[in-house]
Amino acid sequence: MTEDLEQLATEAYVYGFPLVFDLEQVSRFVQDGMSALPAAPFNVLSHASALAGPRDTFVSVNNDTVYSLAQLDLSGGPLLLRVPDTAGRYYVMQFVDAWTNNFAYLGRRATGTGAGAFLLTGPGWTGDVTDGIRQISAPTSVATIVGRWACAGPDDVAAVRALQQATTLEPFGAPGPVDGLPVPDAGVDEDLRFFEELRVWMRAFPPSPTDLAYQQRFAPLGLLEPATPYAEPDDGLARALRAGLQAGRRLVEGGLMGGAHAPGTGWELNIHAFDYNRDFFEVGTLDDPQWIIKDDEAAHLQRAGAARAGLWGNHGYEAAYAIVHKDGDGHPLDGRKAYTLRFDSPPPVDAFWSLTMYDTPDYYLVENPIDRYSIGDRTPGLHYADDGALTLYLQPDRPATPEAAANWLPTPSGAFRPILRMYQPRPEVLDGTYDPPPITGASPA
């Protein structure tokens, strides 16, 4: 019986990790902000005033765009979002529910770059939508808007700031009080807090009907109880929950955003890392079988791994992510060594591409002497070979030659993991025929 409970607790951890991790970050943002993004209460936009850097301790944060963020609580009524005309500049407003499903997109790919107005409504809302306004219905009353504005560097920040200030979020009609996040029972020990948070937040933010039925299997763990069973659990349940917690963590860490390996290159092409949304398709999403994981267990594990390694990441059709932990010979990437990455031709995109450097296991940006955390087609001063090829130098120390220094992306001192981001990827990325070139060990440049 204990073994059955341990297995059930393991499955519950994998299933519930995205909800718990997401809402912990929502709470963190509302209370403390996230470094360059000031704290803001629910239903208020917060704007970064610079590109992300090492102070932004958020998993796999990008260094290509300036962020705008809003945590929504639609329990008090609808909100009206207005976006300005960006005159062709790439941007995306991504909508993420409490279970980390990407359920809507606005922006260059999804809705164009003209001005627009959108009514954001919570579950079960009924009412009239004014002409000229498009409705976006959120699956959960708490959700997140992740806005990303393309920025070519510090000299471009002022233009982005003007667009941010022209973006508004306000109540539609007379707003009511908002529920906020339910508070877990304070009497639960820290090592069982995950299951208490999962119990409370599952009740407050029900998932799709399919997953709601799936949740019933966790009744023996106490996750469906209206009051906490974890303040004074019996010894057998406590042991099973702690064992399941550890086993679930190993499963999630072992399956981080797993993707198809490109032959001989070491890259994992995570085109379908965020395809676990199977039920909610609003503006800008693709309700297409090729973008939906059908199997329950596979979807749950994929969702957990994606939350752990790339919370609030986009669907592959908006931005494709390729990650790599090893060089082309299969050896783990080591910040004490030097590497090159040669693109004979640029990654195929309709917007732009970049390579961003992260440490492991936190996947944070790391300080370096030139304050360069990503490099790509918008980086000024890149040196191209006569045949048009671009060679990037990944190493801890500044290269000796000016040409190599122009193409240098500094590495941290220990293990590292770059991400190749491709914004508005072309069909050859999406169908898997494009393979990024391998990272190759080299003598320091």
Side-chain angles (χ1 to χ4, degrees), residues 186-227:
V188 176
D189 289 344
E190 186 63 30
D191 60 347
L192 296 181
R193 183 173 176 81
F194 171 88
F195 291 101
E196 172 61 6
E197 290 177 334
L198 180 56
R199 180 192 70 83
V200 171
W201 291 337
M202 280 198 324
R203 293 179 66 83
F205 308 108
S208 67
T210 301
D211 271 4
L212 194 60
Y214 180 86
Q215 286 179 182
Q216 301 304 309
R217 61 204 314 273
F218 300 130
L221 301 174
L223 285 171
L224 306 185
E225 297 298 321

Side-chain angles (χ1 to χ4, degrees), residues 50-81:
L51 292 165
R55 67 190 181 283
D56 297 284
T57 53
F58 189 81
V59 59
S60 299
V61 67
N62 89 52
N63 184 244
D64 301 311
T65 63
V66 176
Y67 281 92
S68 294
L69 209 68
Q71 305 302 343
L72 308 179
D73 188 342
L74 298 166
S75 61
L79 300 169
L80 182 63
L81 173 69

Side-chain angles (χ1 to χ4, degrees), residues 246-267:
Q246 297 303 316
R249 283 174 176 162
R250 288 193 295 271
L251 275 175
V252 173
E253 293 292 331
L256 293 182
M257 291 176 66
H261 288 261
T265 69
W267 290 92

Side-chain angles (χ1 to χ4, degrees), residues 46-50 66-67 149 156-166:
S46 173
H47 301 297
S49 58
V66 176
Y67 281 92
W149 308 88
D156 196 29
V157 168
V160 170
R161 292 289 289 165
L163 293 170
Q164 290 174 320
Q165 297 306 315

Side-chain angles (χ1 to χ4, degrees), residues 16-385:
F17 175 82
L19 175 71
V20 172
F21 189 50
D22 176 82
L23 294 181
E24 286 176 345
Q25 298 305 310
V26 169
S27 177
R28 170 190 172 194
F29 180 81
V30 170
Q31 296 177 36
D32 304 320
M34 293 180 182
S35 302
L37 280 160
F42 281 110
N43 301 332
V44 174
L45 280 161
S46 173
H47 301 297
S49 58
L51 292 165
R55 67 190 181 283
D56 297 284
T57 53
F58 189 81
V59 59
S60 299
V61 67
N62 89 52
N63 184 244
D64 301 311
T65 63
V66 176
Y67 281 92
S68 294
L69 209 68
Q71 305 302 343
L72 308 179
D73 188 342
L74 298 166
S75 61
L79 300 169
L80 182 63
L81 173 69
R82 294 186 183 276
V83 295
D85 187 340
T86 70
R89 179 188 294 262
Y90 176 89
Y91 83 98
V92 59
M93 293 281 177
Q94 170 196 4
F95 294 74
V96 190
D97 75 4
W99 290 88
T100 72
N101 295 303
N102 297 330
F103 65 91
Y105 292 96
L106 310 178
R108 186 174 184 267
R109 177 198 61 84
T111 55
T113 61
F118 302 87
L119 185 67
L120 316 181
T121 61
W125 182 83
T126 57
D128 296 326
V129 181
T130 306
D131 288 345
I133 298 175
R134 296 181 70 177
Q135 182 181 0
I136 298 176
S137 179
T140 53
S141 59
V142 165
T144 301
I145 299 176
V146 186
R148 301 172 176 89
W149 308 88
C151 182
D155 293 341
D156 196 29
V157 168
V160 170
R161 292 289 289 165
L163 293 170
Q164 290 174 320
Q165 297 306 315
T167 304
T168 61
L169 182 66
E170 58 190 10
F172 183 77
V178 297
D179 296 335
L181 296 180
V183 179
D185 193 300
V188 176
D189 289 344
E190 186 63 30
D191 60 347
L192 296 181
R193 183 173 176 81
F194 171 88
F195 291 101
E196 172 61 6
E197 290 177 334
L198 180 56
R199 180 192 70 83
V200 171
W201 291 337
M202 280 198 324
R203 293 179 66 83
F205 308 108
S208 67
T210 301
D211 271 4
L212 194 60
Y214 180 86
Q215 286 179 182
Q216 301 304 309
R217 61 204 314 273
F218 300 130
L221 301 174
L223 285 171
L224 306 185
E225 297 298 321
T228 185
Y230 307 125
E232 296 180 0
D234 66 66
D235 291 344
L237 177 61
R239 282 195 301 271
L241 292 173
R242 293 185 181 106
L245 191 73
Q246 297 303 316
R249 283 174 176 162
R250 288 193 295 271
L251 275 175
V252 173
E253 293 292 331
L256 293 182
M257 291 176 66
H261 288 261
T265 69
W267 290 92
E268 296 174 6
L269 304 175
N270 293 286
I271 304 303
H272 298 288
F274 298 94
D275 289 1
Y276 41 79
N277 175 22
R278 299 174 291 168
D279 301 283
F280 307 111
F281 301 96
E282 293 289 313
V283 177
T285 56
L286 300 182
D287 184 0
D288 186 305
Q290 69 171 315
W291 297 106
I292 301 171
I293 300 171
K294 291 298 185 184
D295 179 78
D296 283 347
E297 290 188 14
H300 294 156
L301 183 58
Q302 184 70 24
R303 182 176 66 183
R308 171 65 183 87
L311 184 67
W312 302 340
N314 289 295
H315 273 97
Y317 50 76
E318 181 68 44
Y321 306 96
I323 67 173
V324 64
H325 294 87
K326 298 179 180 181
D327 64 21
D329 293 324
H331 303 304
L333 296 172
D334 184 343
R336 297 169 299 179
K337 300 178 180 178
Y339 302 89
T340 60
L341 175 60
R342 176 185 167 92
F343 291 98
D344 291 326
S345 58
V349 296
D350 285 328
F352 59 93
W353 68 269
S354 71
L355 184 76
T356 308
M357 183 64 62
Y358 302 95
D359 68 3
T360 64
D362 294 322
Y363 311 121
Y364 294 163
L365 304 175
V366 179
E367 288 190 23
N368 65 70
I370 59 170
D371 290 328
R372 177 181 282 178
Y373 308 103
S374 65
I375 194 168
D377 57 1
R378 300 172 306 148
T379 302
L382 289 179
H383 176 75
Y384 291 82

Side-chain angles (χ1 to χ4, degrees), residues 372 381-383 393 398-408 445:
R372 177 181 282 178
L382 289 179
H383 176 75
Y393 296 87
R398 184 183 184 87
T401 67
E403 293 81 6
N407 296 1
W408 177 37

